[in-house]
Amino acid sequence: MAILTATSTFAAERAAAILVYHRFGASVADSMTTRNTVFEAQIARLRQDGYTMVSLTHAVAGLDGKLELAPKTVAITVDDGHRSVYTDLLPIIRREHLPVALFIYPSAISNASYAMTWQQLAEIVGTGLVEVHSHTYWHPNFRDEKRRLAPDRYREFVRDQMEKPRRVLKAKLGVDAPFLAWPFGIHDTELEAAAAAAGYRAAFMLGEREATSADSLLALPRYLIVDSYGVAGLTRLLHDDQHRAKVIQP
């Protein structure tokens, strides 16, 4: 029994719930918008329930065995670089002293009407609470591109999508961007190898379960969170996943 308990505790210490959001606002503008009030209530409830909010860098280091993770660890990530990150999320980050990781595709920044500007991103990074990482250069669907392009052109395309965002983010923001979020959650062994060659230390897909030390660092799952989950749906999602993990412990 002592051995079983020790094994279960060790496994719990090397797991983290990584949440991914996209847009924020006072009302639900689309399927990827989470209301500010819902997000704030979710954060309050997670803290009330004993979850520890950590940076994504801390979570990855814990999963890699380099740092200890609390039994109930959560990391918040936000994809795409929508302007609502600046207008709506940033005040919450400051007020709640909340660590957040942004995954950005640089082609949209200061170009697309829906996106933030480089100046806004620099202000966000300046809080010391926000990491900025890569979401490739323009968020392609790699399956479509592989069908469309000849093999050599596809490999060149993938390499550019991996390497260019790191160069741009370094030049614009002074960040190294060692993490990657797979667009649409699409990845395979070829893409993972290209990510590793481009210098990424971890990459993130989608999947409604905790990331654990058993997962590849280049295919770490994240829970996709939408407004309809509310507070109860999010806590139930995390609780059910933790219950499943305990059931399958050896």
Side-chain angles (χ1 to χ4, degrees):
M1 182 62 71
I3 294 174
L4 293 179
T5 302
T7 303
S8 299
T9 301
F10 179 76
E13 289 174 349
R14 307 225 14 228
I18 304 172
L19 313 183
V20 53
Y21 295 83
H22 286 78
R23 296 181 277 282
F24 300 87
S27 59
V28 178
D30 54 47
S31 62
M32 289 292 102
T33 299
T34 299
R35 285 171 291 170
N36 304 331
T37 53
V38 168
F39 179 72
E40 289 178 287
Q42 288 174 336
I43 298 303
R45 178 60 181 273
L46 289 174
R47 284 176 167 161
Q48 177 185 327
D49 288 350
Y51 285 89
T52 300
M53 307 288 176
V54 302
S55 69
L56 190 61
T57 293
H58 185 117
V60 170
L63 294 171
D64 200 23
K66 296 175 181 176
L67 284 177
E68 185 176 353
L69 292 178
K72 297 168 75 172
T73 291
V74 171
I76 306 293
T77 70
V78 182
D79 285 5
D80 297 348
H82 194 268
R83 62 176 178 268
S84 63
V85 171
Y86 182 81
T87 58
D88 293 76
L89 180 60
L90 180 57
I92 300 172
I93 289 172
R94 285 178 163 147
R95 184 168 61 250
E96 298 296 328
H97 204 71
L98 187 68
V100 170
L102 305 180
F103 285 99
I104 302 299
Y105 51 98
S107 66
I109 305 302
S110 288
N111 287 321
S113 60
Y114 59 81
M116 287 183 283
T117 66
W118 288 114
Q119 183 178 0
Q120 289 170 336
L121 264 176
E123 182 180 340
I124 290 173
V125 171
T127 64
L129 293 165
V130 179
E131 305 173 4
V132 175
H133 298 288
S134 168
H135 204 13
T136 69
Y137 188 67
W138 56 259
H139 200 288
N141 183 315
F142 283 117
R143 289 195 189 110
D144 289 348
E145 297 302 325
K146 190 169 188 176
R147 284 192 291 265
R148 185 178 67 86
L149 297 171
D152 287 349
R153 284 286 298 117
Y154 175 69
R155 285 190 290 270
E156 181 182 344
F157 172 80
V158 169
R159 184 169 58 250
D160 189 57
Q161 288 291 323
M162 299 292 174
E163 295 176 355
K164 190 172 182 179
R166 296 196 70 203
R167 292 196 302 269
V168 173
L169 291 171
K170 183 67 171 180
K172 294 288 189 179
L173 301 173
V175 301
D176 290 328
F179 302 156
L180 169 72
W182 296 112
F184 307 105
I186 295 170
H187 67 100
D188 55 29
T189 55
E190 181 182 10
L191 290 169
E192 290 175 17
Y200 293 104
R201 293 192 288 107
F204 300 84
M205 60 176 189
L206 299 175
E208 291 193 346
R209 63 178 180 85
E210 285 186 323
T212 75
S213 54
D215 290 307
S216 165
L217 286 178
L218 293 174
L220 295 172
R222 296 184 294 168
Y223 297 94
L224 175 60
I225 307 302
V226 295
D227 186 84
S228 60
Y229 281 11
V231 174
L234 174 60
T235 55
R236 183 168 57 249
L237 184 71
L238 298 184
H239 176 271
D240 289 349
D241 188 27
Q242 289 183 338
H243 177 70
R244 285 193 300 271
K246 289 178 181 177
V247 168
I248 65 173
Q249 289 302 324

